[in-house]
Amino acid sequence: MKIKFLVFGLAALSLSACKAPLNIAQVQTEKNISIAKDLPEDQNFNTVIEPYKEELEGKMNKKISYTAVDLNKQGDNSNLGNLLADYTFEGADEWAKKNGIPGGVDAAVINVGGIRSTIGAGDILTKSIYEVMPFENEVLIVKMKGADLKGLFDYYLTTQKNNPVSHLYIETENGMTVKELVNGKEVEATKEYYIATSDYLAMGGDNMAFFGKGELISTGIKLRDLFLEKFQNNPQVVAPIDIRLNFKNRKNTTNE
């Protein structure tokens, strides 16, 4: 009991110490400085940051790959969108096979809105990837029953949005999906599927509520880091041109 009171006493003393008033020794008012074009540069400050600036620019302007064509995100099957969806699939698939999912992942879905820039034909620099993917999103794998994948296909039927996919084929016509394929095969309702995506979409972003029926598996892989690695490993990018989203008789235009 004595030990108990001693612990309480030390805790009280500690809390008391945390609440001790802060003594302000001296307060001086300073003149506000307006940040404007005519504000003269501080040469001392420039001297301090110059080495870091040069190092950063050197890293960002480093060539990591090359593309013979413009990589854009326009249309239902954009070459940049499909390329990044494939990279997401490949990165998640490799991680899955090393972490207790021997069959790897079955497909990948990313959002076109998360692709913030395009890449022109020519050299691809490190900064190009930062411009394309400025966010810190993580690759997640969602484990889902085949029956619950119906929500994914219905999403594309309803929105007809050009969110890029990999290893999926979705064909719609006259208000219904006429083909729903994963890896070229019909979905089995009782089979478990592993879908790679971003944490943003897995949490229901872009109205993808259907992921809520699945089990989320964290990979710890940042999308941008994965894209950087993939471009670095491919000295010349070959953009995919296959059809994955086929919205026949499209009525709305939700392309970004």
Side-chain angles (χ1 to χ4, degrees), residues 10-238:
L10 290 173
L13 182 62
S14 174
L15 290 173
S16 174
C18 291
K19 292 181 177 178
L22 180 65
N23 294 320
I24 301 175
Q26 187 177 12
V27 176
Q28 292 182 336
T29 58
E30 299 288 349
K31 179 182 177 182
N32 288 331
I33 299 176
S34 176
I35 307 298
K37 291 182 179 178
D38 57 351
L39 181 67
E41 291 191 357
D42 186 326
Q43 193 54 47
N44 291 332
F45 179 74
N46 288 341
T47 301
V48 170
I49 68 169
E50 187 60 28
Y52 304 101
K53 181 182 176 185
E54 290 181 358
E55 181 181 357
L56 180 62
E57 288 179 345
K59 290 180 178 178
M60 287 295 158
N61 290 322
K62 180 182 178 182
K63 176 185 173 182
I64 58 173
S65 187
Y66 175 85
T67 173
V69 300
D70 291 338
L71 300 177
N72 63 71
K73 60 175 192 172
Q74 298 301 314
D76 293 334
N77 297 276
S78 66
N79 56 7
L80 180 57
N82 284 356
L83 180 68
L84 297 182
D86 286 348
Y87 284 168
T88 303
F89 175 91
E90 292 169 13
D93 190 59
E94 182 180 355
W95 183 93
K97 290 174 179 173
K98 293 179 179 176
N99 290 275
I101 307 175
V105 299
D106 297 286
V109 176
I110 62 174
N111 65 310
V112 70
I115 303 172
R116 307 304 291 181
S117 184
T118 58
I119 300 175
D123 292 343
I124 300 175
L125 311 179
T126 297
K127 68 179 181 183
S128 307
I129 311 308
Y130 275 81
E131 291 166 355
V132 165
M133 180 54 62
F135 308 115
E136 297 291 327
N137 289 109
E138 179 188 343
V139 179
L140 259 62
I141 298 172
V142 187
K143 179 181 177 182
M144 303 182 73
K145 288 285 187 185
D148 292 331
L149 280 183
K150 184 62 179 173
L152 184 155
F153 296 113
D154 287 346
Y155 169 87
Y156 280 94
L157 171 65
T158 303
T159 66
Q160 296 194 334
K161 193 167 184 178
N162 60 335
N163 281 321
V165 299
S166 179
H167 291 70
L168 287 170
Y169 178 76
I170 304 167
E171 183 176 321
T172 69
E173 186 172 18
N174 297 325
M176 58 186 297
T177 54
V178 294
K179 282 190 179 180
E180 303 173 346
L181 305 179
V182 178
N183 271 323
K185 298 178 180 178
E186 299 283 349
V187 175
E188 299 176 36
T190 58
K191 181 181 174 180
E192 289 180 333
Y193 290 85
Y194 294 86
I195 311 299
T197 187
S198 69
D199 53 351
Y200 170 69
L201 296 183
M203 300 292 182
D206 211 356
N207 298 312
M208 293 196 181
F210 55 84
F211 278 133
K213 293 185 176 180
E215 175 188 345
L216 306 186
I217 302 171
S218 173
T219 68
I221 303 171
K222 297 294 184 184
L223 271 172
R224 185 177 57 232
D225 293 342
L226 174 61
F227 296 159
L228 279 168
E229 178 186 335
K230 291 296 181 182
F231 278 103
Q232 288 168 345
N233 292 339
N234 291 278
Q236 179 161 352
V237 170
V238 178

